[in-house]
Amino acid sequence: MISLLLLPKMSYIMRTMRKYIFLDIDGTLFSTSIGRIPDSALTAMELARKNGHKLFLCTGRSLAEVVKYLNADVDGFILGAGSMVYAEGKRIYDHPIDASEIARIKHTVHSFGLGYSLEGTAGAYCSPDGYESLLKYFSGGSTDRKKQIARCNANCTYPETFGSEESDSIYKVCAFGTAWEPIYPKLAAALEHPFILTKVMELKDFVIGEITDRNISKANGIEQILAHYNAEEFDAVGIGDSANDIPMLKKCGISVAMGNSSPETKEAAQYVTSDILHHGIWNAFVHYGIIEGEEK
């Protein structure tokens, strides 16, 4: 058993040893309820970098969908659930879906009555049903359609008529519906090799399934970052909330699930912090001595 007398020393060690911190965006940093990142999370990120730690956004979003975060106080990005990786402004890994596969995936998703978005470098291109789903997702609770469209535009999310696999590289496809059962398991079974379906969000009347190459995950992106810095897995901290974060959590020496996480994500993590709107990032950083302060 660790003596309580050692805890201040352990906290000091955590602050002085550089950590490579990987943060999911949706449900971990970005809250749909308020349409932004909570202030306490932004402050925690700023303090962590001042303490010498490296921060990376590790998200299923494509490059276009993180445009509003490109000037964030971070050191790099893992995008498209691991299919594109940036470190200090340089792209160090790139693995889009072959354009010849996109039409087949779209047809399969549409055949199950689901909307979709094709997430690329310059934008996320949506079927009509998919666009309506994302108008609601980015609304921040607003019912004003003009505001909803403006917020989609701010996240580079457009109707498919704006472009698709013919004009942009696609890294991931999302399928939107109102309930996981029974449709999504059937979709998963219908997808051909090497593609898999992962549940990334299940709310009342709103579900997102993520279609990716089974050989690519957030864990692969973390491998690229750690190799770039000659760092080890025990130096890595992963924080997420959904099933596509589980490979990230398993890859990191320290794994944290948000309080609002899915049950399987909590099961995969070493520590469960508070909800996104109850200072989850701040409390996780304080818990592990990444920053100084009191849990809120």
Side-chain angles (χ1 to χ4, degrees):
M1 181 177 294
I2 298 174
S3 169
L4 293 177
L5 295 175
L6 293 179
L7 291 180
K9 184 176 181 180
M10 291 176 64
S11 179
Y12 171 76
I13 291 173
M14 283 293 293
R15 291 195 303 273
T16 55
M17 292 177 62
R18 172 174 289 173
K19 292 295 176 182
Y20 298 82
I21 303 168
F22 299 92
L23 298 166
D24 174 51
I25 293 180
D26 296 282
T28 299
L29 285 178
F30 176 82
S31 167
T32 58
S33 298
I34 60 175
R36 60 181 177 85
I37 299 175
D39 292 339
S40 64
L42 292 171
T43 301
M45 293 167 66
E46 179 183 359
L47 292 174
R49 290 194 79 215
K50 285 182 178 179
N51 285 344
H53 302 294
K54 297 285 188 180
L55 264 64
F56 304 89
L57 299 187
C58 187
T59 177
R61 294 191 185 203
S62 67
L63 177 61
E65 294 171 294
V66 298
V67 65
K68 64 191 297 182
Y69 301 106
L70 292 180
N71 292 321
D73 193 21
V74 296
D75 298 281
F77 302 86
I78 296 173
L79 307 171
S83 57
M84 181 187 289
V85 182
Y86 279 85
E88 298 177 351
K90 296 180 180 180
R91 190 183 299 184
I92 62 173
Y93 183 75
D94 188 71
H95 189 89
I97 297 174
D98 192 290
S100 64
E101 302 280 7
I102 298 298
R104 178 162 59 88
I105 295 173
K106 288 196 301 182
H107 175 76
T108 303
V109 173
H110 182 70
S111 70
F112 286 94
L114 301 173
Y116 61 77
S117 67
L118 313 175
E119 301 187 7
T121 303
Y125 312 103
C126 306
S127 68
D129 288 345
Y131 189 61
E132 292 301 318
S133 294
L134 287 174
L135 285 174
K136 181 178 179 180
Y137 178 78
F138 287 120
S139 70
S142 174
T143 57
D144 186 314
R145 190 170 180 86
K146 289 184 178 179
K147 289 183 179 179
Q148 291 178 344
I149 292 172
R151 288 175 178 174
C152 267
N153 289 343
N155 285 277
C156 297
T157 299
Y158 315 111
E160 192 173 6
T161 51
F162 280 51
S164 63
E165 70 276 15
E166 297 175 357
S167 58
D168 196 357
S169 294
I170 304 302
Y171 290 82
K172 191 189 72 176
V173 179
C174 278
F176 303 96
T178 57
W180 187 262
E181 298 285 352
I183 295 176
Y184 281 86
K186 295 178 181 178
L187 171 61
L191 290 172
E192 296 182 29
H193 185 82
F195 299 101
I196 60 170
L197 177 70
T198 304
K199 183 195 298 183
V200 296
M201 184 172 292
E202 185 174 17
L203 304 173
K204 183 180 179 181
D205 299 325
F206 183 71
V207 177
I208 303 176
E210 185 176 83
I211 299 170
T212 57
D213 186 323
R214 71 173 60 251
N215 300 309
I216 303 295
S217 71
K218 292 184 177 185
N220 301 102
I222 290 172
E223 286 181 359
Q224 299 294 326
I225 293 290
L226 296 179
H228 180 79
Y229 287 99
N230 294 314
E232 302 293 336
E233 291 179 14
F234 61 76
D235 294 320
V237 179
I239 306 180
D241 70 290
S242 62
N244 73 344
D245 295 315
I246 292 175
M248 171 181 72
L249 298 180
K250 291 182 176 180
K251 190 70 175 175
C252 293
I254 294 173
S255 56
V256 179
M258 300 296 289
N260 48 277
S261 296
S262 63
E264 60 266 32
T265 307
K266 290 179 180 178
E267 182 67 25
Q270 297 165 346
Y271 175 70
V272 178
T273 186
S274 49
D275 290 5
I276 185 172
L277 292 180
H278 292 87
H279 315 292
I281 297 299
W282 173 275
N283 289 338
F285 282 15
V286 169
H287 177 82
Y288 280 106
I290 292 168
I291 62 175
E292 295 184 51
E294 298 292 332
E295 294 191 25
K296 299 183 179 183

